[in-house]
Amino acid sequence: MGGLDTFDTCRAGITNVGLRGRLLAARPLIGAAEAAFDAAAVAGTDHLIETTTHVGEVTSGEMERLYTRHMARGKSRGRDIYDELMMAATNDMCPFCGHRSVSTLDHTLPKALHPALAVTPINLVPCCKDCNHGKGTVSPTEAAEQWLNAYYDDISADRWLYAEVVEGAPPAAVFFVDPPDTWNGVTASRVQNQFDRLDLAKLYASQAARQFQNARRALREIHESAGPEGVQEDLNRRYLSCTEVMVNSWEAALYQAASVSNWYCDGGFAL
């Protein structure tokens, strides 16, 4: 459903006559804002869209309440649209962290600063609450600050997430961004900025530590029967299996890093 259709659905729930009239008068501005956002998202120039506190005579607060009360609230007129957007997430997975399940909708451009986009579907991306909170409500002021938009920025085929095994007892892993040479500097900066702002290195390292512990027994049995080569083969098989689902999952990065660590494959896993 388009932005104007969604706006009309939410607007139908307003009982205040004065507000209904002001919202109707603002309708052309809602459509224009959607078209401008779509063009900017395609061009990667979201940061050039000016912030504002009004849509015509409708305040940003009133537009925010239109979203919270008449779209996000259960059993509201726009809730079916909200739920449909939530179900658009691939494998129910947050597109920002690639780890947690979606549980809310994020405004790519914050509704307080871009009220005309408060209920516009292309500005609403399903994500997890942690990433929604970590992203904050700041509007980007330069290209490198723009968050990746799951509807417009498809970099899923390019590998950019890597890890290295940290030798120790117990073993650990560090995760980092290493963009491919084919990317331009802006794309690389956007990914690095998002990775840092959401503290994904810490999240993935925590999950990796648990995964290392879970794999100890299985890898010990493989090592006893097939040596370090067998362990390496098993880890590489896990890596390839993960990449079939998601090239840049933390699991894929972890297994690939472990498979090329001679120390880990020759007993480091057991410490």
Side-chain angles (χ1 to χ4, degrees), residues 69-127:
R69 297 179 182 179
H70 300 279
M71 186 174 183
R73 178 181 289 178
K75 297 183 179 180
S76 63
R77 290 178 180 270
R79 182 65 193 201
D80 287 345
I81 303 172
Y82 182 100
D83 291 339
E84 184 177 347
L85 289 170
M86 287 285 287
M87 291 187 291
T90 303
N91 298 322
D92 193 43
M93 186 178 296
C94 174
F96 295 126
C97 65
H99 176 62
R100 293 177 289 246
S101 296
V102 300
S103 54
T104 189
L105 291 181
D106 170 71
H107 287 77
T108 299
L109 293 182
K111 56 186 180 295
L113 300 174
H114 302 272
L117 299 170
V119 297
T120 301
I122 58 174
N123 189 46
L124 297 169
V125 176
C127 68

Side-chain angles (χ1 to χ4, degrees), residues 33-87:
E34 178 182 28
F37 176 81
D38 179 60
V42 171
T45 57
D46 301 9
H47 63 292
L48 297 180
I49 299 179
E50 296 184 0
T51 60
T52 183
T53 58
H54 289 74
V55 186
E57 296 186 4
V58 181
T59 68
S60 59
E62 289 171 328
M63 287 300 298
E64 288 185 73
R65 287 190 289 276
L66 185 69
Y67 169 77
T68 56
R69 297 179 182 179
H70 300 279
M71 186 174 183
R73 178 181 289 178
K75 297 183 179 180
S76 63
R77 290 178 180 270
R79 182 65 193 201
D80 287 345
I81 303 172
Y82 182 100
D83 291 339
E84 184 177 347
L85 289 170
M86 287 285 287
M87 291 187 291

Side-chain angles (χ1 to χ4, degrees), residues 53-227:
T53 58
H54 289 74
V55 186
E57 296 186 4
V58 181
T59 68
S60 59
E62 289 171 328
M63 287 300 298
E64 288 185 73
R65 287 190 289 276
L66 185 69
Y67 169 77
T68 56
R69 297 179 182 179
H70 300 279
M71 186 174 183
R73 178 181 289 178
K75 297 183 179 180
S76 63
R77 290 178 180 270
R79 182 65 193 201
D80 287 345
I81 303 172
Y82 182 100
D83 291 339
E84 184 177 347
L85 289 170
M86 287 285 287
M87 291 187 291
T90 303
N91 298 322
D92 193 43
M93 186 178 296
C94 174
F96 295 126
C97 65
H99 176 62
R100 293 177 289 246
S101 296
V102 300
S103 54
T104 189
L105 291 181
D106 170 71
H107 287 77
T108 299
L109 293 182
K111 56 186 180 295
L113 300 174
H114 302 272
L117 299 170
V119 297
T120 301
I122 58 174
N123 189 46
L124 297 169
V125 176
C127 68
C128 71
K129 289 184 178 179
D130 287 342
C131 285
N132 185 280
H133 181 266
K135 180 174 176 287
T137 58
V138 178
S139 187
T141 58
E142 57 184 66
E145 295 177 351
Q146 295 174 165
W147 291 77
L148 296 177
N149 188 312
Y151 303 140
Y152 293 90
D153 303 308
D154 184 9
I155 57 172
S156 59
D158 298 328
R159 186 178 177 194
W160 53 265
L161 179 63
Y162 292 83
E164 288 182 355
V165 171
V166 178
E167 299 179 9
V174 293
F175 292 81
F176 55 93
V177 173
D178 186 11
D181 294 337
T182 54
W183 283 9
N184 59 47
V186 171
T187 299
S189 295
R190 291 175 69 186
V191 173
Q192 185 68 62
N193 177 61
Q194 185 168 304
F195 186 80
D196 294 339
R197 286 279 301 279
L198 296 178
D199 207 5
L200 296 184
K202 181 179 179 180
L203 171 65
Y204 297 159
S206 174
Q207 298 302 314
R210 184 177 297 110
Q211 191 61 33
F212 273 150
Q213 294 301 308
N214 291 339
R216 287 177 64 182
R217 178 171 179 173
L219 294 181
R220 184 166 56 246
E221 292 177 353
I222 294 173
H223 190 268
E224 290 173 353
S225 62

Side-chain angles (χ1 to χ4, degrees), residues 223-257:
H223 190 268
E224 290 173 353
S225 62
E229 293 80 8
V231 172
Q232 183 180 45
E233 182 180 347
D234 177 79
L235 292 170
N236 189 60
R237 186 162 51 245
R238 297 188 193 200
Y239 156 64
L240 294 174
S241 181
C242 289
T243 58
E244 289 187 0
V245 179
M246 183 178 176
V247 172
N248 291 294
S249 68
W250 66 265
E251 296 99 329
L254 175 66
Y255 288 133
Q256 192 272 337

Side-chain angles (χ1 to χ4, degrees), residues 22-34:
R22 286 187 288 115
L23 286 169
L24 180 60
R27 191 176 187 275
L29 299 176
I30 301 296
E34 178 182 28

